Amino acid sequence: MCGIVGYTGPQPAVPLLLEGLRHLEYRGYDSAGLAVVSANGHLEIRKAAGRLDRLTESLKVAPIHGRVGVGHTRWATHGRPSDENAHPHTDCTGRVCVVHNGVVENYRELRDQLLAQGHHFTSETDTEVLAHLIEVELTELPEASDGEGPRLLTACRKALDRVEGLYAIAAVSLDDPDLIVGARSRAPLIVGLSAEGNFLASDVPAVLGETRRVVRLKEQDLVALRPDSVLIVDRYGRQRERAVDVVTWDRTAAEKAGYPHFFLKEVYEQPEALERTCAGRLVDDHVVLPELSGLDVESIRRVVLTGCGSAYHACLMARYAFEAWLRLPVDVDMGSELRYRDVALDPSVLCIAVSQSGETADTLAAFELARAHGAQCVALTNSVGSAITSLADHVVYQHSGPEVAVVSSKTFTGQLTTLLLIGLALAERVGRATPVSLQKVVGALTDLPRSVQEALATAQDSSRIAERHAHVNRLLFLGRGVGYPTALEGALKLKEISYIHAEGYPAGELKHGPLALVEPGSLVVVLATRSATLGKLISNIEEVRARGGSIIAITSRGDDLIAPHADEIIRVPETVELVSPVVNVVPMQLLAYYAAVARGCDPDKPRNLAKSVTVE
Ligand code: M6R
């Protein structure tokens, strides 16, 4: 939530900051702003509520110039989206300026203290206290260097010591005009290194146009950037060395590449992304996951899977596989619930936390809880070096590549596929599943990119059906077994991007309540691919039809059982039932996409949402 950028170097900063922000807009688009240190020694600030385009337009009307600056794109937490609440925020003197991603949880207390000391505030944000705290520390620091690096660095470090919450910040001060100070705690921040100056950003795509050399800052790191130097210290001011990574993917991976929307592009990238997820991990009918070699498998008595949103759905789906293959109890909890439950966790528990961003606050808190109780902790993420990795005993990357659309598609199928790989790897080690059944799954995973490619070929059907029904205001998604969490994911996708109210239900539960919603004209999407419970599902379909509901069925190609019971059909390739959600979710992603487009909604930037949910 929120994206931050910074640049210090010989080039004009504004175009670089705007380009960086353009690649961070997925993190929030309630407002945008930037500040540069101008040649005449002023902090020039421009901010605008709304999307980045508004800021860009305002800069055309009233340009600002400088070679050092910071920028921000906001997802509002404290204070409504407005020009005043847009970042950057300054101190009382107007000499310090801060952009912030995160939440200052104790901001009220800090604000009261600062007000009592005579500070005045101009916004409703939590962030503004940071600028004032830095001002206070700068005032109290001696003029001469204290041997710990630049004064602004020390001031930020001391100011952040008073802050509870999570943050990635970038700060500039007129007292040291070519310097930018960055800091992170449970929010991402990277440094981009270039011969033409240095960059700070929330995510790699923001700097990829200028450099591939990046440093992923670690938890509690602070950094002092000048045009030709980078100094990293920890929260105690001790100098730290951090590795320089060379990013191998290029910016086209974070561009639309001819697609009208990122979401559609990412849906179509799924076969290739799944190839990467499985690459080198499926060898001779076995799963190879050296990342888990240090796991004490013998001691595992229970598995707890946790995540939020689509990641939670991936966990729900994986539960069916883990139970079948490991013969162990498997609990699945949303991060936001698990973190506050008085739950029995101990060293015999294997906790797998799933988060593509690696930043989701609720998932991190749940993971920390499991860790505090001594559970073995595995993180599954798409983001190298993200906060979740620092909490984990073992990290498994899904390698889905960058996902820009706020709504997940390829990272969701990547999460589920990686969970299945983990389940298989554990099953081989605990030896409780039959080798033949595991081999069948390995075969299905090997074929998965092709199966998903074939499922994408149903796009015309999804588009036609979505356009025909784009006017409806509510929809039910039904499934049984792994079809149930698939239904949940289908409903979530539709809600998120088309704003049609949709609910996913286990089909067997229909008669216990939701059937009351069905009336003539009701539309119900049913996950009806081949499965052990297909016969039961057909009975549930008939319960809907008997009450005048219409059925859109997602069925297995070559299966004629469902046709007589459905009004519209989308046929996908058949795969092993436990793997089928990866394939079956594809037409649901496409239905949601085409419904959104038909209703004039922006599928890449759904209202009120941001990609990384770093707040509770
Ligand atoms: O980065 P994470 O996997 O932790 O994100 C979890 C959810 O916020 C995310 O899946 C969300 O539900 C998406 N909007 C789904 O499209």
Side-chain angles (χ1 to χ4, degrees):
M1 320 204 106
C2 302
I4 64 174
V5 284
Y7 170 74
T8 175
Q11 302 184 63
V14 172
L16 294 172
L17 295 174
L18 285 176
E19 185 60 5
L21 289 179
R22 193 169 73 77
H23 286 87
L24 294 178
E25 237 195 326
Y26 71 87
R27 302 183 68 86
Y29 29 85
D30 287 334
S31 65
L34 49 80
V36 291
V37 181
S38 71
N40 59 4
H42 287 107
L43 271 175
E44 301 274 10
I45 299 176
R46 293 283 183 281
K47 342 183 195 188
R51 295 195 175 177
L52 183 61
D53 289 346
R54 290 203 59 226
L55 176 69
T56 310
E57 286 311 311
S58 80
L59 282 159
K60 282 184 192 151
V61 177
I64 53 177
H65 305 282
R67 295 179 194 281
V68 181
V70 293
H72 188 265
T73 177
R74 178 169 188 244
W75 187 87
T77 58
H78 296 70
R80 70 201 158 83
S82 66
D83 290 359
E84 299 73 38
N85 289 333
H87 300 212
H89 291 287
T90 54
D91 66 338
C92 294
T93 66
R95 297 185 69 76
V96 173
C97 179
V98 177
V99 289
H100 169 220
N101 164 31
V103 173
V104 179
E105 284 166 2
N106 57 338
Y107 87 101
R108 282 188 188 283
E109 182 189 322
L110 293 169
R111 191 174 160 120
D112 288 347
Q113 290 166 12
L114 289 159
L115 282 169
Q117 290 166 21
H119 290 256
H120 57 267
F121 290 81
T122 57
S123 79
E124 305 157 293
T125 66
D126 53 332
T127 300
E128 199 179 349
V129 298
L130 295 174
H132 292 267
L133 289 175
I134 296 168
E135 175 195 350
V136 169
E137 297 299 339
L138 276 175
T139 315
E140 289 176 4
L141 276 175
E143 277 305 316
S145 161
D146 57 7
E148 292 174 347
R151 291 177 78 244
L152 181 62
L153 180 66
T154 309
C156 287
R157 191 165 58 73
K158 292 187 185 255
L160 291 170
D161 261 354
R162 297 175 63 186
V163 166
E164 286 162 23
L166 41 147
Y167 54 78
I169 67 158
V172 288
S173 160
L174 286 179
D175 297 336
D176 200 342
D178 71 351
L179 175 72
I180 301 177
V181 171
R184 69 160 283 194
S185 180
R186 296 179 61 170
L189 196 59
I190 61 117
V191 175
L193 306 169
S194 127
E196 291 288 294
N198 290 316
F199 296 81
L200 263 187
S202 298
D203 198 1
V204 172
V207 304
L208 263 192
E210 302 303 316
T211 181
R212 288 169 177 279
R213 296 174 60 233
V214 301
V215 176
R216 293 182 164 87
L217 294 177
K218 293 207 166 38
E219 275 302 284
Q220 312 276 335
D221 275 354
L222 291 100
V223 62
L225 286 188
R226 295 197 189 276
D228 50 9
S229 71
V230 175
L231 169 70
I232 299 173
V233 299
D234 65 16
R235 58 179 300 194
Y236 305 106
R238 296 176 301 208
Q239 197 167 331
R240 290 285 176 235
E241 297 298 322
R242 300 290 180 226
V244 178
D245 291 342
V246 179
V247 178
T248 48
W249 46 275
D250 63 28
R251 211 174 206 176
T252 52
E255 299 282 0
K256 284 187 199 155
Y259 285 88
H261 297 100
F262 281 111
F263 180 72
L264 190 63
K265 174 184 169 238
E266 287 154 4
V267 165
Y268 273 89
E269 280 174 348
Q270 288 178 110
E272 188 196 322
L274 292 169
E275 291 272 9
R276 276 197 307 276
T277 301
C278 294
R281 290 170 165 176
L282 297 169
V283 181
D284 297 335
D285 287 340
H286 296 285
V287 171
V288 180
L289 270 185
E291 300 92 321
L292 298 185
S293 56
L295 207 60
D296 177 8
V297 174
E298 303 304 319
S299 69
I300 302 172
R301 296 284 170 272
R302 187 158 65 96
V303 180
V304 172
L305 304 173
T306 189
C308 297
S310 294
Y312 167 69
H313 294 160
C315 293
L316 285 175
M317 292 167 188
R319 168 161 60 190
Y320 293 83
F322 276 54
E323 282 174 345
W325 301 338
L326 305 180
R327 315 303 311 162
L328 284 173
V330 181
D331 293 333
V332 182
D333 248 314
M334 294 166 191
S336 54
E337 288 298 314
L338 179 57
R339 65 182 293 186
Y340 291 117
R341 275 177 52 205
D342 189 6
V343 63
L345 291 163
D346 59 49
S348 72
V349 168
L350 168 65
C351 177
I352 305 179
V354 182
S355 172
Q356 86 82 22
S357 63
E359 292 178 43
T360 303
D362 287 322
T363 306
L364 295 184
F367 205 33
E368 274 183 322
L369 180 78
R371 191 186 166 85
H373 284 80
Q376 295 192 72
C377 290
V378 173
L380 191 176
T381 183
N382 196 33
S383 306
V384 178
S386 54
I388 203 168
T389 63
S390 61
L391 302 174
D393 302 311
H394 312 276
V395 179
V396 182
Y397 286 107
Q398 58 183 93
H399 302 302
S400 303
E403 188 175 73
V404 178
V406 164
V407 170
S408 61
S409 55
K410 66 173 180 172
T411 62
F412 166 72
T413 46
Q415 283 171 335
L416 178 54
T417 304
T418 313
L419 279 170
L420 294 174
L421 289 169
I422 294 173
L424 282 175
L426 296 176
E428 288 195 14
R429 283 172 67 187
V430 297
R432 293 194 195 109
T434 63
V436 177
S437 70
L438 296 184
Q439 269 172 26
K440 268 185 87 175
V441 181
V442 171
L445 289 177
T446 309
D447 288 344
L448 201 49
R450 188 174 48 79
S451 307
V452 168
Q453 189 71 56
E454 289 174 18
L456 285 165
T458 64
Q460 275 193 343
D461 296 331
S462 300
S463 152
R464 181 176 35 80
I465 292 171
E467 277 165 28
R468 182 176 305 152
H469 299 292
H471 61 281
V472 304
N473 287 323
R474 63 186 166 92
L475 233 111
L476 278 178
F477 284 74
L478 299 179
R480 279 179 170 262
V482 285
Y484 161 51
T486 316
L488 290 177
E489 177 63 9
L492 179 65
K493 288 293 93 108
L494 193 73
K495 275 188 275 214
E496 283 184 298
I497 60 174
S498 74
Y499 314 143
I500 295 173
H501 181 211
E503 294 300 335
Y505 273 102
E509 275 290 299
L510 201 58
K511 54 192 171 296
H512 299 292
L515 197 54
L517 293 171
V518 176
E519 57 186 348
S522 294
L523 203 56
V524 180
V525 178
V526 185
L527 273 303
T529 50
R530 265 194 204 109
S531 73
T533 50
L534 191 56
K536 308 274 178 208
L537 190 67
I538 291 175
S539 306
N540 302 138
I541 291 176
E542 283 308 314
E543 289 160 11
V544 171
R545 284 163 62 88
R547 283 147 186 97
S550 300
I551 302 291
I552 300 168
I554 296 168
T555 67
S556 301
R557 228 168 33 198
D559 186 345
D560 290 328
L561 269 180
I562 296 297
H565 305 277
D567 299 279
E568 284 157 302
I569 285 201
I570 301 175
R571 296 175 200 277
V572 294
E574 190 180 352
T575 181
V576 170
E577 188 176 347
L578 289 170
V579 180
S580 65
V582 184
V583 178
N584 297 354
V585 78
V586 172
M588 298 198 297
Q589 295 167 340
L590 291 165
L591 279 174
Y593 173 76
Y594 289 112
V597 172
R599 289 165 69 96
C601 307
D602 180 347
D604 285 343
K605 296 191 182 111
R607 67 185 177 208
N608 307 335
L609 301 182
K611 189 148 192 76
S612 305
V613 186
T614 53
V615 293
E616 262 194 71

